[in-house]
Amino acid sequence: MNRGWCGIECVAHRSPAPYQDGSRNVQTLLPNNQIVFYMNDCTQRRLDWNMIRSPLQASFTIEADRGLVTPLLEYYIQELRRYRTLSYAEVWTGEGSFPPRDVPEDYIQMLEQSVAEYRDQQAQERQRQKQLEMLQSMQPKEPEQSEQPNQPEHSQQPKAVEGSERRKGWCRCFCC
C-alpha cells in the first residue's frame, strides 16, 4: 500500500474485533479471508500479512493526516498485542479467523517501530522549532521604518530639497 489511509484500512482489517455468533457469548475474531481491491490496476488480491506496511511510511495528500493516523495505529497495535494473549475460549475459532499464535510478531514490531520513528521525528522537529525561535528572539530587532534610530541631533541629515545637492561638512563635527 502506497497511500496512508489505504494502509490504515488494511491494518484495521487485520485487527481483532468482537464477534457474536447468535448466542450471548461474545468472542474475538481476526478475519483471515479478506480481499483487497487495488485502484491503480483494478485487481483484487487476498490480503496477506506481508502485503501490509506501516501507514506512517506511506504517502498522504495532507501531511497533517499522518498525525491523525498515529493514534489509530497505536490502538491497533494494542489490540493485536491483546489478541495474542487470549485463550482459545475467548477467540472465535470458526472458519475464517486467525488463531492468536498466527499473528506474526514481526508484523506488530514493524508497526511499533514506525510509530516510534514518527514520534522521534516529531520530537526532533519540535526541538528544531524551539531552537529557531530562541535564535530569532536573540537577534536584535530591526527598527520599523517609521522609527528613526537614536542619533545625536547634530548628525541627523537635513531633508533634501528638490534640486539641491548635499553639502559636505554640513554638521559641526564634519562627520559627513
Side-chain angles (χ1 to χ4, degrees):
M1 298 288 141
N2 293 330
R3 298 170 44 155
W5 284 108
C6 294
I8 198 69
E9 287 177 17
C10 287
V11 170
H13 287 301
R14 280 298 167 146
S15 295
Y19 176 78
Q20 190 167 2
D21 61 0
S23 67
R24 291 180 178 247
N25 188 15
V26 177
Q27 295 174 311
T28 303
L29 164 73
L30 183 58
N32 67 5
N33 292 323
Q34 297 167 325
I35 304 298
V36 178
F37 181 77
Y38 284 82
M39 303 273 304
N40 57 343
D41 61 0
C42 297
T43 60
Q44 295 179 3
R45 298 181 191 121
R46 184 171 181 260
L47 185 62
D48 196 359
W49 292 107
N50 62 2
M51 292 171 61
I52 304 172
R53 68 179 190 160
S54 173
L56 295 177
Q57 296 170 345
S59 61
F60 287 88
T61 304
I62 300 170
E63 189 59 33
D65 285 355
R66 201 174 300 276
L68 299 173
V69 164
T70 304
L72 291 171
L73 197 54
E74 290 172 325
Y75 168 78
Y76 291 126
I77 291 167
Q78 178 183 350
E79 285 300 301
L80 286 166
R81 287 259 175 241
R82 184 186 65 79
Y83 185 75
R84 285 178 53 95
T85 65
L86 294 179
S87 70
Y88 279 101
E90 299 171 292
V91 175
W92 186 69
T93 55
E95 180 67 30
S97 182
F98 281 104
R101 70 177 184 279
D102 288 354
V103 176
E105 178 63 25
D106 58 342
Y107 170 76
I108 299 172
Q109 289 175 350
M110 177 267 301
L111 296 176
E112 288 173 331
Q113 182 180 357
S114 70
V115 168
E117 288 171 358
Y118 176 74
R119 295 280 186 212
D120 288 345
Q121 289 171 354
Q122 291 300 102
Q124 289 173 3
E125 183 60 33
R126 282 192 299 275
Q127 184 65 27
R128 279 193 293 271
Q129 188 64 31
K130 284 181 184 178
Q131 289 173 347
L132 180 62
E133 289 171 2
M134 187 172 55
L135 287 173
Q136 288 174 342
S137 69
M138 294 171 63
Q139 292 179 348
K141 291 184 178 179
E142 295 282 330
E144 294 181 17
Q145 289 182 352
S146 63
E147 293 180 19
Q148 292 186 7
N150 293 336
Q151 295 178 355
E153 191 173 314
H154 71 278
S155 64
Q156 292 182 358
Q157 296 180 5
K159 293 183 180 179
V161 178
E162 189 176 359
S164 67
E165 291 184 24
R166 188 170 159 236
R167 295 183 308 165
K168 292 230 182 240
W170 63 271
C171 73
R172 286 185 220 154
C173 67
F174 301 102
C175 61
C176 35

